[in-house]
Amino acid sequence: MKGAEPKVTLDLARDSGLTADEYDRILARLGREPTFSELGLFSALWSEHCAYKHSRVFLSRLPTAGPRVLQGPGENAGALDIGDGWAVVFKIESHNHPSFIEPFQGAATGVGGILRDVFTMGARPIAILDSLRFGALDDPRTRHLVNGVVSGISWYGNCFGCPTVGGEIAFAPEYAGNPLVNVMCVGLVRADRLFRARAEGPGNPVFYVGNKTGRDGIHGATMASATFDGHAEERRPTVQVGDPFTEKLLLEACLEAMATGAVVGIQDMGAAGLACCTSEMPARCGTGMDVELSRVPQRETGMTPYEILLSESQERMLLVAARGREDEVRRVFAKWELDAVEIGRVTPGGDLVARLDGEVVARVPVEALTEAPKYTKPVAEPSELAGRRAFDPLTLPEPPDHGTALLRIVGSPTIASKEWAFRQYDHQVGINTLVLPGSDAAVLRVKGTRKALAVKTDGNGRHVFLDPRQGAAMAVAEAARNVSCSGGLPIGVTDCMNFGSPERPEILWQFAEAIEGIAAACRALDMPVVGGNVSFYNETNGQAILPTPVIGVVGLLEDASRRATQWFKAAGHRVALLGPDAVSLGGSEYLWTLHRRLAGRLAPLDLEAERRVQSAVRAAVAAGLATAAHDCSEGGVAVALAEACLTGRAPVGCEAALPAAARPDLTLFGEGPSRVVVSVEPARGREFEALMAESAIQWRWIGLTGGERLVLRVGARVVVDLALEQLESAWRNGFERHMA
């Protein structure tokens, strides 16, 4: 077969996604022309998706160390010590391009991939969260994508048996040609039983385990490292096909094999498939690998070495076993009716050698494959940004009726109830879920302990577009604030950085600024970044998405019984507003929903004030003082109060008096960080006041729960007076009516 391979030329290298300069580097490194299979290895491993060529120089600025960190960036997933001998393992990944081409399988295999990233660390997955972005819902194409993506996520997660417990769905026209499908997975493992993707021990056998290899997904990593045009759907063959039932068997087989002690290292065959594992695993240890491709289980006939190496067929792992313990590995995988085939050995030489029927088809130093070029490209602030920031939303007319404005905002697809989506998910399989979707954060028990985990994903592309540094910092703060509102101490971050082409200076500027904002917020809130994903080239026909860093935060509750949810529980509870008064209509949901404008300045972010507010909320929850705690974010305090009234099992009304600002619409709908609505039983009001005094934060009582209406005053004037039934109808139908 080697003789039938095409002759490698510069044009072929370019067609494979490599530049002329990169091809010259390959020639210099090898001292010869690469074979076709070797070109495939370089095209995959040096793709942006695998190599982070444009982002590595910036990612080094993120804080990654801390006393809880057991595993930081560079492995399949990050891991943090949560005490009692347990570790939480978590990671977020993107499957944006495949989901645009084939939404069901694109989203499904995104779930499959992130599950494997977690259980290759030795952890059992206990939760999935999805963070989704789409274009306008009045577009039939968008509705097709939403249906396919949500169905793919629910199908894979439900069949595999891991609950989907939270996430977010937002809409903006900039995502019409490039939706975002980001999936986070959280798992648990005994802290002393973590596994890593390392090929240690020359002479140790290399096993291929799991599903058979087919031609699906070839060039998936390369496809994810390119912009789209009007012919994107022609790339459908690059999208993988998932099988969650096989993945469930693979999970159980891997965990059982790990428990035998026969497993030295293990890695998911995700992006770039076998090519990635056979180079990255030895590169981490200074070893090499020699593999025989004819031994790879295949479900299609006549596959070439190039296809076998680059296939991204799902539900497959590469496993390094301890020499002499091969039969233990085989027995475990045979029990689960999965392939476990020895395809090679770890070698001392530092080369990846791939053979077909004994004939060498590729011989490349693993260091050459894993040390891709690192670029420092020009950055430039977009020329239009100054004009957008200079716009003052208060020059627009005030709405004639603030109640009608609130109904429009709570009924907008981004704010409205997402029950249509999350009712398709099984959120209780595994019986760990203590707080279901629909509150600020999901809460999951750690069985055998009193502990629980609070988990949340967040991101606001409009904020990051207007001010990448502050907008990204606000995303970190908001995700952490949601965890704190649930009673959890935020302990770690994983991020998914979704941006356009890094070859455009204005996009790379957005990315660099966003990294600085994330780094500053994580340091201030004492949360290390233990892993994540960079997804560039999210643009179609020159239209880039909004810059969208999605932040996943994991928090720890020492006592699972001391948790809070966002909805009011009963009438007669006092309502407090914690945090600063400073808000802005710049980049707000109000400005977009009512005026279709993306402009203005964001409210200021004081990270020290943010830290104190979150600490005060956690203290109130831990003391049993807060019967509800809800973050004020999109839509401002008016939307936060409406959601607190509506999202529980039975609606509970509220009457509140808000501090007057320049205009009532700014007071009601202005957005700003570090703000939380809390409800307190009246008998415990004095205790709450004493706790707030100790916390040294800005706060005030604003109202009382009860009745069947939401009544909001600004100063002495009633500006909103709506029946809960009317509010609930707008909120429940705002998204679902488009999907009916």
Side-chain angles (χ1 to χ4, degrees):
M1 284 189 189
K2 182 186 173 188
E5 290 188 339
K7 177 175 171 53
V8 174
T9 64
L10 174 58
D11 287 342
L12 186 59
R14 283 174 166 154
D15 289 343
S16 300
L18 296 163
T19 67
D21 176 67
E22 288 169 349
Y23 185 59
D24 286 342
R25 292 187 190 211
I26 294 168
L27 295 177
R29 187 68 176 83
L30 296 179
R32 56 176 172 81
E33 282 189 350
T35 66
F36 183 55
S37 293
E38 289 169 344
L39 181 70
L41 292 171
F42 279 105
S43 71
L45 272 297
W46 283 18
S47 67
E48 186 66 43
H49 188 74
C50 290
Y52 289 10
K53 294 180 289 191
H54 294 87
S55 61
R56 277 186 293 165
V57 66
F58 302 106
L59 294 174
S60 60
R61 302 174 189 178
L62 294 171
T64 59
R68 293 185 183 271
V69 176
L70 299 174
Q71 180 61 59
E75 276 286 345
N76 286 308
L80 297 173
D81 191 333
I82 60 170
D84 289 341
W86 285 99
V88 59
V89 175
F90 58 104
K91 176 79 176 293
I92 191 169
E93 282 275 7
S94 63
H95 234 221
N96 305 335
H97 282 38
S99 300
F100 177 66
I101 297 169
E102 210 303 299
F104 182 91
Q105 286 294 348
T109 51
V111 173
I114 197 66
L115 286 165
R116 291 193 301 278
D117 282 341
V118 166
F119 73 74
T120 50
M121 300 292 292
R124 182 172 292 275
I126 63 167
I128 297 165
L129 297 91
D130 54 89
S131 186
L132 313 176
R133 302 291 186 278
F134 300 98
L137 259 183
D138 54 7
D139 180 353
R141 172 65 177 166
T142 297
R143 294 196 294 273
H144 165 73
L145 290 171
V146 174
N147 264 308
V149 165
V150 171
S151 297
I153 291 169
S154 65
W155 173 71
Y156 206 103
N158 292 357
C159 293
F160 177 85
C162 185
T164 302
V165 299
E168 47 171 356
I169 309 177
F171 302 88
E174 292 85 354
Y175 302 111
N178 200 124
L180 301 185
V181 178
N182 295 178
V183 184
M184 177 177 171
C185 182
V186 180
L188 286 171
V189 64
R190 298 300 295 179
D192 59 353
R193 297 179 189 171
L194 279 170
F195 280 79
R196 292 171 173 84
R198 301 174 64 84
E200 294 180 312
N204 278 336
V206 175
F207 277 85
Y208 172 113
V209 301
N211 225 338
K212 289 178 167 48
T213 293
R215 289 188 170 93
D216 55 317
I218 295 173
H219 288 304
T222 308
M223 175 267 290
S225 307
T227 58
F228 278 170
D229 56 23
H231 302 284
E233 293 195 2
E234 296 174 6
R235 306 190 192 199
R236 189 178 299 271
T238 62
V239 179
Q240 309 95 327
V241 178
D243 180 353
F245 299 105
T246 296
E247 178 129 329
K248 172 62 173 174
L249 298 178
L250 185 61
L251 160 74
E252 300 299 342
C254 286
L255 295 185
E256 187 172 330
M258 291 168 176
T260 67
V263 176
V264 174
I266 184 169
Q267 181 164 331
D268 165 41
M269 286 191 221
L274 191 60
C276 186
C277 295
T278 52
S279 51
E280 288 184 349
M281 289 182 74
R284 293 188 181 103
C285 311
T287 58
M289 197 172 281
D290 193 319
V291 294
E292 173 53 63
L293 300 180
S294 65
R295 297 180 192 164
V296 171
Q298 299 162 49
R299 64 169 181 262
E300 299 185 45
T301 59
M303 290 189 70
T304 66
Y306 183 97
E307 291 171 330
I308 296 169
L309 284 166
L310 269 67
S311 169
E312 293 183 16
S313 294
Q314 295 291 283
E315 294 87 37
R316 305 178 304 156
M317 302 282 193
L318 196 68
L319 180 154
V320 175
R323 184 168 41 183
R325 305 189 68 177
E326 294 88 345
D327 285 344
E328 293 176 67
V329 172
R330 292 189 186 98
R331 278 197 298 270
V332 169
F333 283 89
K335 169 186 170 182
W336 294 97
E337 299 182 345
L338 293 171
D339 284 318
V341 179
E342 186 179 337
I343 64 167
R345 293 267 164 179
V346 178
T347 61
D351 283 354
L352 166 60
V353 180
R355 308 172 190 270
L356 188 72
D357 297 323
E359 184 179 1
V360 174
V361 294
R363 184 187 295 273
V364 183
V366 294
E367 186 182 54
L369 292 170
T370 57
E371 290 299 321
K374 184 165 62 175
Y375 295 125
T376 303
K377 294 286 186 72
V379 297
E381 183 175 332
S383 57
E384 64 161 337
L385 199 50
R388 285 189 185 254
R389 283 180 178 166
F391 174 75
D392 182 1
L394 295 180
T395 60
L396 295 169
E398 197 167 350
D401 185 295
H402 294 89
T404 301
L406 178 56
L407 288 172
R408 285 187 62 185
I409 295 169
V410 298
S412 66
T414 295
I415 300 294
S417 168
K418 303 305 186 302
E419 187 178 353
W420 176 89
F422 67 68
R423 73 180 172 223
Q424 299 183 48
Y425 306 143
D426 186 336
H427 3 91
Q428 292 180 304
V429 59
I431 59 171
N432 292 312
T433 313
L434 299 174
V435 175
L436 302 177
S439 193
D440 274 344
V443 179
L444 301 131
R445 79 175 90 242
V446 180
K447 288 177 182 173
T449 75
R450 299 178 62 196
K451 300 177 187 290
L453 299 172
V455 291
K456 176 64 176 177
T457 59
D458 254 313
N460 189 314
R462 293 191 189 117
H463 288 172
V464 181
F465 175 81
L466 291 173
D467 189 333
R469 185 176 297 212
Q470 184 178 328
M474 287 170 67
V476 173
E478 183 179 345
R481 197 181 319 125
N482 278 291
V483 164
S484 289
C485 285
S486 299
L489 171 68
I491 59 173
V493 164
T494 181
D495 55 44
C496 198
M497 308 293 289
N498 305 276
F499 288 78
S501 170
E503 295 165 40
R504 294 165 54 185
E506 65 274 20
I507 300 293
L508 202 56
W509 175 82
Q510 291 174 338
F511 181 83
E513 288 289 291
I515 289 292
E516 293 293 348
I518 292 169
C522 286
R523 289 191 184 97
L525 300 177
D526 196 22
M527 297 188 300
V529 179
V530 296
N533 171 239
V534 177
S535 177
F536 277 138
Y537 297 100
N538 289 290
E539 54 183 81
T540 299
N541 293 325
Q543 171 64 60
I545 61 163
L546 295 174
T548 313
V550 172
I551 306 299
V553 169
V554 171
L556 178 63
L557 289 79
E558 292 293 344
D559 183 350
S561 68
R562 294 293 188 174
R563 59 184 185 273
T565 49
Q566 71 180 37
W567 46 85
F568 296 142
K569 305 303 184 294
H573 290 194
R574 299 184 73 180
V575 179
L577 176 61
L578 280 55
D581 291 331
V583 292
S584 171
L585 293 175
S588 66
E589 189 66 28
Y590 166 87
L591 190 60
W592 177 255
T593 300
L594 269 67
H595 299 285
R596 286 297 186 263
R597 298 289 293 266
L598 174 52
R601 291 188 175 275
L602 306 181
L605 170 64
D606 180 337
L607 286 168
E608 175 55 28
E610 179 74 46
R611 188 188 63 77
R612 291 200 304 270
V613 167
Q614 291 193 33
S615 179
V617 172
R618 291 195 302 272
V621 173
L625 297 173
T627 58
H630 186 26
D631 159 51
C632 297
S633 52
E634 290 90 350
V637 67
V639 167
L641 288 167
E643 290 173 337
C645 290
L646 299 175
T647 51
R649 290 185 178 178
V652 177
C654 177
E655 185 167 338
L658 302 170
R663 290 188 345 193
D665 57 347
L666 177 61
T667 298
L668 294 170
F669 309 118
E671 297 175 7
S674 317
R675 288 156 54 87
V676 177
V677 169
V678 173
S679 64
V680 181
E681 291 179 347
R684 306 197 68 181
R686 291 287 180 87
E687 290 178 73
F688 183 80
E689 290 169 356
L691 181 61
M692 293 302 103
E694 291 176 9
S695 301
I697 65 167
Q698 184 176 335
W699 77 282
R700 56 167 54 86
W701 294 115
I702 60 170
L704 200 65
T705 63
E708 298 180 354
R709 306 185 73 80
L710 175 62
V711 180
L712 303 179
R713 291 182 171 82
V714 175
R717 176 185 165 199
V718 174
V719 292
V720 171
D721 188 351
L722 293 169
L724 293 187
E725 184 179 6
Q726 192 178 7
L727 262 175
E728 186 173 24
S729 177
W731 177 72
R732 290 204 180 278
N733 296 323
F735 170 53
E736 187 158 346
R737 64 187 171 87
H738 293 280
M739 305 307 300

